Amino acid sequence: MRIVLLGAPGSGKGTQSKLLIEKYNIPQISTGDLLRAAVAAGSDLGRKAKAAMDAGQLVSDDVVLGMIQERLSKPDARAGFILDGFPRNIPQAQALDAMLARLSQPLQLALLVDVDTEVLMKRLTGRRTCSNASCGAIYNIYFSAPKAPGKCDKCGSILAHRSDDNENTVRSRLQVYEQQTAPLVSYYKAQGKLRTVRGTGSVNEIFKNVTDIIEVQMRPLAAAMSAAQAAAAKSAPPKPAKPAKAPAKAAAKPAAKPAAKKPAAKKPAAKKPAPKKKPAPKPKKKAVKKAAPKKAKKAAPKKKSAPKAKKKK
Ligand SMILES: [Zn+2]
């Protein structure tokens, strides 16, 4: 699957990304790593990037996209990838979409790991690290405080507070993130690709929600494809000439319902007191094999997903 990960500093998206890499066996593509590797390798793009960085300039989107494209051509990215840290703005998102379209590998999902700003503040400003380098234990004064304030539980050394973890610095970092990400969230929402997972709770709980989202996002495609294949495999019986479309639509709704136990026939029967005419379209419904099963299968997973997705928002 091809995913863009969105999430604030402190959202835990890095942890989720690692778990995704393991579960789905796809690489995470980080532009920072790509730049370092390209510069070290001295490739064409690497030399361009180095020239820009040496001149104190930002590496252009073209160069970064070129590196991403090169990376995508490697065999381990065949099954998909996780993009983290790119795109950061709409022009980059558009250029990425254009590039992926040329490769016939469009993004399937933009996953936002959402955490309230005040929780992020506590996660980031509350961090304390054991100053004993050989220990390196990490605490959070709000969520996992040491037993004695300022002292490491394990080795008794003083706990250090990084200067860039102070409240003002963190708040402005989060504001920058908000300003960058809000337009991207809208962009992917408009494409119908945005899904949001709450980034609070245990790592495993969050990951369960992440994988649920991914499965739902991927399966409708698989379901639609297998339905199409099944329909193609069956020799299609002669279709009824005109009324084909109307019964097909009618059939789609009841077909999705059996789980809800409601006998599909009841409603129409009650509304229209024409019992003689009803039986006629029924056999036609069965004849219209292509349309009916497709809609039914598509509808099923969507229904399941809808309430879940809402809960997390
Ligand atoms: Zn320690």
Side-chain angles (χ1 to χ4, degrees):
M1 95 231 56
R2 300 177 291 276
I3 303 177
V4 162
L5 260 188
L6 303 170
S11 65
K13 80 179 160 146
T15 306
Q16 296 301 319
S17 181
K18 273 181 201 158
L19 294 171
L20 286 174
I21 290 166
E22 284 169 22
K23 181 175 170 74
Y24 294 103
N25 203 21
I26 52 175
Q28 173 179 312
I29 297 180
S30 138
T31 49
D33 292 346
L34 289 181
L35 278 171
R36 278 187 288 277
V39 170
S43 68
D44 272 1
L45 289 169
R47 282 198 300 275
K48 283 184 193 166
K50 189 172 186 303
M53 289 189 289
D54 286 349
Q57 294 165 345
L58 284 175
V59 179
S60 74
D61 288 352
D62 285 347
V63 171
V64 174
L65 279 164
M67 288 177 182
I68 294 173
Q69 183 166 350
E70 264 183 17
R71 181 65 186 83
L72 294 184
S73 69
K74 294 191 177 163
D76 67 333
R78 236 175 260 156
F81 54 82
I82 302 168
L83 261 179
D84 186 10
F86 190 94
R88 286 191 190 277
N89 53 47
I90 299 288
Q92 288 180 349
Q94 288 169 332
L96 176 68
D97 276 347
M99 189 254 283
L100 294 175
R102 284 197 300 275
L103 301 175
S104 303
Q105 293 185 352
L107 281 179
Q108 291 163 300
L109 176 64
L111 184 66
L112 171 66
V113 182
D114 191 32
V115 179
D116 291 341
T117 305
E118 288 318 304
V119 175
L120 292 173
M121 284 298 296
K122 286 184 172 176
R123 283 187 185 175
L124 295 168
T125 61
R127 278 203 297 220
R128 300 292 184 274
T129 312
C130 177
S131 56
N132 173 2
S134 65
C135 170
I138 295 169
Y139 301 85
N140 186 296
I141 57 170
Y142 301 108
F143 304 116
S144 53
K147 283 171 192 151
K151 272 193 181 176
C152 180
D153 290 351
K154 289 177 185 165
C155 70
S157 303
I158 292 171
L159 298 182
H161 187 194
R162 274 170 40 187
S163 58
D164 57 353
D165 284 349
N166 78 60
E167 185 157 345
N168 287 338
T169 313
V170 168
R171 206 170 277 285
S172 67
R173 269 168 72 201
L174 292 179
Q175 276 167 0
V176 168
Y177 163 79
E178 266 303 317
Q179 285 161 6
Q180 278 182 345
T181 308
L184 289 175
V185 166
S186 308
Y187 179 82
Y188 289 120
K189 195 181 273 180
Q191 291 187 347
K193 290 178 181 172
L194 183 80
R195 296 292 179 275
T196 303
V197 66
R198 294 285 304 152
T200 47
S202 77
V203 167
N204 287 338
E205 281 166 6
I206 299 168
F207 189 58
K208 169 75 169 61
N209 293 336
V210 167
T211 52
D212 282 352
I213 288 172
I214 288 174
E215 300 295 331
V216 167
Q217 192 79 349
M218 302 304 135
R219 263 188 204 153
L221 296 173
M225 277 168 66
S226 61
Q229 284 167 356
K234 287 179 188 173
S235 57
K239 287 175 193 175
K242 275 202 171 179
K245 275 193 178 178
K249 274 185 188 172
K253 277 186 187 173
K257 274 187 183 173
K261 284 178 194 170
K262 281 186 186 174
K266 267 192 184 175
K267 275 189 183 174
K271 276 183 186 173
K272 289 183 183 175
K276 274 185 188 174
K277 281 183 184 174
K278 272 292 145 187
K282 268 187 186 171
K284 281 177 194 168
K285 283 176 194 172
K286 280 190 181 175
V288 191
K289 271 176 187 164
K290 270 192 185 174
K294 252 192 201 173
K295 285 201 175 175
K297 280 191 182 174
K298 269 188 187 172
K302 270 187 190 169
K303 277 193 177 175
K304 274 183 194 168
S305 74
K308 272 185 191 171
K310 274 185 186 170
K311 268 182 204 168
K312 270 138 222 165
K313 279 178 189 172

